[in-house]
Amino acid sequence: MGEQASTAPEKAAKGVKGARGAGGAAASGGKGAGGAAGSGGAASSGGKRAVAKKTGAAKPVKKAVSAKPVKKAGAAKPATEAAAAKSAKSVKKAAAAKPAKSVTKTAAKPESRTALVRRARRINRELAEVYPYAHPELDFENPFQLLVATVLSAQTTDLRVNQTTPALFAKYPTPEDLAAANPEDVEELIRPTGFFRAKTKSIMGLAAALRDEFGGEVPGRLEDLVKLPGVGRKTAFVVMGNAFGRPGITVDTHFGRLVRRWKWTEETDPDKVEKAVGELFPKSDWTMLSHRVIFHGRRICHARKPACGACPIAPLCPAYGEGETDPEKAKKLLKYEKGGFPGQRLKPPQSYLDAGGVPAPPLGATAPPATGE
């Protein structure tokens, strides 16, 4: 009994040493030591000396069993393994995320001013090849008709204006005639264009101003045009560029939408858009640039669902992918002559007809519907 009792503490002590070096073994060693201590207590009938030895040998064992480092060592292994596993997962996630971050950074790299100018002018050249027949899509025969038609085109399509103005100009061919008209009669004639009361006030007001201040003639200067009722910079540039051959940028909803998609500018105010885009091109390009961008916005780069898969300038467009990218599906979204539909003008230029364009039908006529925004 004495030998067995003295041997147990030695084994327990070895277990404690092993526990300090090997975590999991320490826990089982501690339990063994506890068992040996119990045997030492049972051997007390063998003499005080033996009891003293056993008791003395047992104390370190008890300390080892109750020692916090041993328990921590035993419990630390699973915690360490969990932490290591968690760390490994974090490393994997970080490693997987690195390529995406680098791609994003590359895509978000700022475009230099020189690169922007080159890309913008290349887009203009590409559009010139796609729309060699680009033109103002309002029917007119003189500056007065173009001025009135442009004012009427607010908040409606050029098609609807073109279907409305023949009757208006037949009854009131000159500014003097329109200025002296009965407002109710004018309202009835232009009703299809919407906001007909406000528009009647504008066109009759500008007709009176032309009669009283400009001798019945439409002025060709920006500062004079913007003084007329209902005439802003956009309308003035339409008239200047297409009736007088003076360069101007027409910032309508299509133009503003596209130049922002192309990252030519982030501005939303029409005057600021005009200034920003004008700085990218020589003045000689301004009028035709406006026509090409507006043509593209009406036919391919629509507001709600652009036909990205059928867009000839897709490689140059930062917004590619906002719309339908499948080529076959995109073709079904094309409008006007690109989609085989009639255009907006009842009397379009010959170049448009030669390119396959179809004249728009008169108001109330039965014909394939002209589509547009």
Side-chain angles (χ1 to χ4, degrees), residues 246-249 278 281-288:
R246 296 176 182 173
I249 293 177
F281 298 89
K283 285 187 177 181
S284 58
D285 288 350
W286 287 358
T287 299
M288 287 308 300

Side-chain angles (χ1 to χ4, degrees), residues 138 146-147 149-158 222 225-226 230-242 248-256 270-271 274 290-291 294 298:
L138 288 169
L146 178 58
L147 178 60
T150 306
V151 171
L152 293 178
S153 68
Q155 305 298 318
T156 190
T157 63
D158 287 355
L222 176 64
L225 286 167
V226 295
V231 178
R233 290 179 68 88
K234 169 195 160 186
T235 298
F237 281 130
V238 170
V239 175
M240 288 172 57
N242 298 289
I249 293 177
T250 304
V251 184
D252 70 349
T253 55
H254 301 287
F255 191 95
D271 291 351
E274 174 200 322
S290 300
H291 292 324
I294 293 171
R298 285 174 171 164

Side-chain angles (χ1 to χ4, degrees), residues 6 23 49 67 98 104 129 160 165 190 212 233 282 289 291 322 329 333 349 372:
S6 60
R49 188 176 178 180
K98 282 181 181 178
T104 303
E129 294 182 7
R160 184 50 55 92
T165 52
I190 69 170
D212 300 338
R233 290 179 68 88
L289 170 70
H291 292 324
E322 287 187 8
K329 292 180 180 179
L333 301 175

Side-chain angles (χ1 to χ4, degrees), residues 26 30 46 105 113 116-117 143 145 156 172 179 194 227 237 242 248 258 286 288 345 351:
K105 286 181 180 178
R113 179 69 179 179
L116 171 60
V117 171
Q145 290 186 359
T156 190
Y172 310 110
K227 292 178 182 177
F237 281 130
N242 298 289
L258 267 61
W286 287 358
M288 287 308 300
R345 291 187 67 165
S351 60

Side-chain angles (χ1 to χ4, degrees), residues 9 36 39 91 124 149 167 180 193 215 222 264 280 291 321 328 347 359 369:
S39 300
V91 171
N124 185 38
T193 66
L222 176 64
W264 290 3
L280 301 175
H291 292 324
E328 293 304 317
K347 298 178 181 179

Side-chain angles (χ1 to χ4, degrees), residues 1-371:
M1 285 291 289
E3 290 178 357
Q4 290 176 357
S6 60
T7 302
E10 291 175 1
K11 290 182 180 180
K14 289 180 182 179
V16 172
K17 290 180 182 179
R20 290 175 181 174
S28 58
K31 289 179 181 178
S39 300
S44 60
S45 59
K48 291 181 180 180
R49 188 176 178 180
V51 172
K53 286 183 180 178
K54 291 166 193 171
T55 306
K59 283 180 181 179
V61 176
K62 286 182 180 179
K63 286 181 180 179
V65 171
S66 61
K68 290 181 180 179
V70 175
K71 288 185 178 180
K72 284 185 178 179
K77 186 174 181 181
T80 302
E81 289 177 352
K86 188 175 182 181
S87 177
K89 288 181 180 179
S90 300
V91 171
K92 287 181 180 179
K93 287 181 180 179
K98 282 181 181 178
K101 287 181 180 178
S102 62
V103 170
T104 303
K105 286 181 180 178
T106 302
K109 186 178 179 180
E111 185 177 36
S112 70
R113 179 69 179 179
T114 301
L116 171 60
V117 171
R118 288 176 178 171
R119 183 170 62 85
R121 294 186 180 186
R122 186 178 172 188
I123 287 176
N124 185 38
R125 291 194 298 272
E126 295 283 345
L127 293 179
E129 294 182 7
V130 178
Y131 309 106
Y133 47 80
H135 57 272
E137 294 192 271
L138 288 169
D139 282 325
F140 69 98
E141 296 177 358
N142 55 56
F144 172 64
Q145 290 186 359
L146 178 58
L147 178 60
V148 171
T150 306
V151 171
L152 293 178
S153 68
Q155 305 298 318
T156 190
T157 63
D158 287 355
L159 168 62
R160 184 50 55 92
V161 174
N162 292 335
Q163 292 174 328
T164 303
T165 52
L168 177 69
F169 295 143
K171 190 169 184 178
Y172 310 110
T174 69
E176 292 82 0
D177 295 327
L178 183 57
N182 182 334
E184 293 181 358
D185 294 339
V186 177
E187 288 178 3
E188 192 60 31
L189 287 171
I190 69 170
R191 184 183 291 271
T193 66
F195 303 97
F196 57 91
R197 291 189 178 88
K199 290 180 179 179
T200 293
K201 186 177 180 179
S202 293
I203 63 175
M204 290 188 67
L206 71 84
L210 292 175
R211 177 195 64 193
D212 300 338
E213 299 176 29
F214 298 98
E217 299 294 331
V218 176
R221 298 194 312 165
L222 176 64
E223 54 268 36
D224 292 329
L225 286 167
V226 295
K227 292 178 182 177
L228 300 173
V231 178
R233 290 179 68 88
K234 169 195 160 186
T235 298
F237 281 130
V238 170
V239 175
M240 288 172 57
N242 298 289
F244 296 100
R246 296 176 182 173
I249 293 177
T250 304
V251 184
D252 70 349
T253 55
H254 301 287
F255 191 95
R257 179 179 74 252
L258 267 61
V259 299
R260 283 188 289 273
R261 279 181 177 170
W262 296 336
K263 302 300 181 185
W264 290 3
T265 180
E266 297 295 332
E267 299 290 351
T268 55
D269 179 76
D271 291 351
K272 292 181 180 179
V273 171
E274 174 200 322
K275 183 178 184 298
V277 175
E279 292 174 350
L280 301 175
F281 298 89
K283 285 187 177 181
S284 58
D285 288 350
W286 287 358
T287 299
M288 287 308 300
L289 170 70
S290 300
H291 292 324
R292 293 165 189 153
V293 173
I294 293 171
F295 255 60
H296 193 62
R298 285 174 171 164
R299 286 150 178 77
I300 295 178
C301 196
H302 312 133
R304 294 184 181 178
K305 197 170 184 181
C308 294
C311 181
I313 61 167
L316 301 171
C317 181
Y320 174 79
E322 287 187 8
E324 181 57 65
T325 57
D326 181 83
E328 293 304 317
K329 292 180 180 179
K331 285 181 182 179
K332 297 178 181 179
L333 301 175
L334 301 181
K335 297 182 178 181
Y336 298 114
E337 76 282 353
K338 291 296 181 184
F341 299 103
Q344 298 205 86
R345 291 187 67 165
L346 279 65
K347 298 178 181 179
Q350 188 60 44
S351 60
Y352 178 77
L353 298 175
D354 293 341
V358 180
L363 190 66
T366 55
T371 59

